[in-house]
Amino acid sequence: TKITLPMAFNPQLEQMFDMEAESDEQKEITQRPKGDNKIQYLLTCIGFAVGLGNVWRFPYLCQTYGGGAFLIPYVIALVFEGLPLLHMELAIGQRLRMGSVGVWSSISPYQGGVGVASMLVSFLVGLFYNMILAWILWYFFHSFQSPLPWRDCPINISVNYFWYRETLNITPNTETSGSLQWWLVLCLASAWCIVYICFIRGIETVGKAIYATATFPYLVLTIFLITALTLPGASDGLIYLFTPNVKTLKNPKVWLDAATQIFFSLSLAFGGLIAFSSYNPQKNNCERDALIVGCVNSFTSIYASIPIFAILGFKANENNNNCQNWNILTLTNAFNIGVGNITLENYGEWLNYLNKTDPSEVESLNLKACNLQTFLEEVASGTGLAFILFTEAVIEMPASQVWAVLFFVTLFCLGLSSMFGNLEGVLTPLLDLHIVPPWIPKEAFTGLICLISFAVALIFTLGSGNYWLEIFNSYVGSVPLLIIAFFEIIAVAYVYGINRFNDDIEWMTGRRPNIYWQATWRFISPFMLLVVFVAYVVIEAEKQPTYNAWNPDYVSSLPLADVLHYPEWVFAICVLLSILPVVAIPLVAFYKFMCLLKNYTMNRHNQNPYANEYCHGEL
């Protein structure tokens, strides 16, 4: 089979490469490292795609947008945005056998900045992602204590106190930095050491670790599922999850969040999937791989939501019962009713009776508003879901230390397998560019990257570190990825050429992509990415960014918080984090254009065309 190299802007070179393509490709295949088998590769991709966001962000969005109703835009986004981009990244990485920078530079020198942008995003995301692993280690180490340390704290709401004060020692706002928390520094160093040990020899050692990190979470999730379904009130949580509130579909933000969730949960545009697929043999069915990884990722989100909402139902019922018991005690004392006459079962009847006979007295008691639906809606988001809601639920379980250990090991495995992809998205492009001197061992270079990342990530161990982590999470993992993915799909469909890409896939898989892939790559996916990006910018521009700041005056009623506006200098950093990764796209294109212009000018003056050979680097 004739192999055509991707020289989209250099067609005059194709004839010269035709004769050397076969031998060069065979040389590349033998030189490039690879995993042991196909199962290992699939587990690596699944482990990268399935991460902490599947456990806390997806359930939070389901709760926010009416449970089952959110699944409708989610599935639409998966079919028309997620799977096409996933298939494209796996196919182009497998065909060209390079990291993100090498792939997009090969398609066009002017597209080299897309790979640089992916590499920068992977680096920045890896910084705060590993801080979450450090928090998980902190809780894991404390899970062996009896009783669990977050059960008995100085205030009533103990799990909140342990999170905000004992773990984060959080400051009142972003402007108050606080000092480095030594326990978090040690946990962060431990997390980076574990990542380095698992990654020390690249794909060869990652493949061994992935068997545990990608499969163990499913075992524990199943155990949690069985246990959670036996909790009292679990059915209320499941009814809330699967009962759609169709009215929410009229809100455009539902569709926006569904699109971004499926996009980010698949880890598209990070460069890690391209890097992993580049270690594949070229004769591999990448279409089947994309469908498996995409469907397993979405299944995991829904599968993880079932025990989470079962626990939410349990906690909502418990909070509702506590609320009603407080009201019962108040009514019993105020109206001199015999103890035990008012129960949870007849509380509603007694309240209606007393409201009719003595409404002014009932009103003066300032009874709490007890509503199960309200408690179901008060679900924690993000880190709060793991470090507040779950830790509180674990306390109520028998053998709570065992459940705590299992839970935090599961979270660590999910995060660790995703960190492999983030680090791969940084290391593979740098190694493929050959900017690392050959005398530096790969192990030493990997250690250097981990050390630099650890040093930069120390900002997250400050008293204000949680605020900065939320900033990185909100601004690095949103707009940059949308822009990168848009340029990726435009590069493949309209620069590399969709017909050439179809030929490559037919050569690799034995069959040509069907009409679904053709339509999504050419029109639907680029259009959806553009619409999501514009909608995101419009929605964000209409409001001034705010954040939840811990207020020490609320210490008796955590997690109440002050909603504050970012200071101007912090907001400037937020904008910079959104722009910094993607600014490489126009900069590299401009640099290449200037090199082309300079060479053209020199050639017109009959000067040596090789005098400026540095302009033809890897980018």
Side-chain angles (χ1 to χ4, degrees), residues 9-51:
F9 277 80
N10 298 277
Q12 68 275 17
L13 297 180
E14 285 197 16
Q15 185 176 1
M16 179 182 69
F17 277 99
D18 282 343
M19 296 181 295
E20 301 177 0
E22 293 287 351
S23 59
D24 286 348
E25 181 179 296
Q26 187 62 37
K27 180 180 178 182
E28 175 69 16
I29 291 174
T30 56
Q31 288 181 348
R32 194 164 185 84
K34 60 183 180 181
D36 291 343
N37 52 61
K38 182 62 176 290
I39 294 178
Q40 189 181 98
Y41 162 71
L42 284 176
L43 287 176
T44 303
C45 291
I46 290 171
F48 180 37
V50 176

Side-chain angles (χ1 to χ4, degrees), residues 213-227:
T213 60
T215 58
F216 182 76
Y218 290 96
L219 173 63
V220 177
L221 277 177
T222 302
I223 298 174
F224 263 100
L225 173 64
I226 297 172
T227 304

Side-chain angles (χ1 to χ4, degrees), residues 328-329 332-333 336-343:
I328 290 172
L329 181 61
T332 300
N333 293 332
N336 294 319
I337 301 172
V339 176
N341 286 335
I342 306 179
T343 64

Side-chain angles (χ1 to χ4, degrees), residues 33 101 120 123 129 180 288 293 389 451 469-470:
V101 174
L120 291 175
F123 175 76
Y129 210 91
L180 294 175
R288 181 180 57 198
V293 173
L389 180 74
L451 185 62
L469 187 140
E470 292 295 336

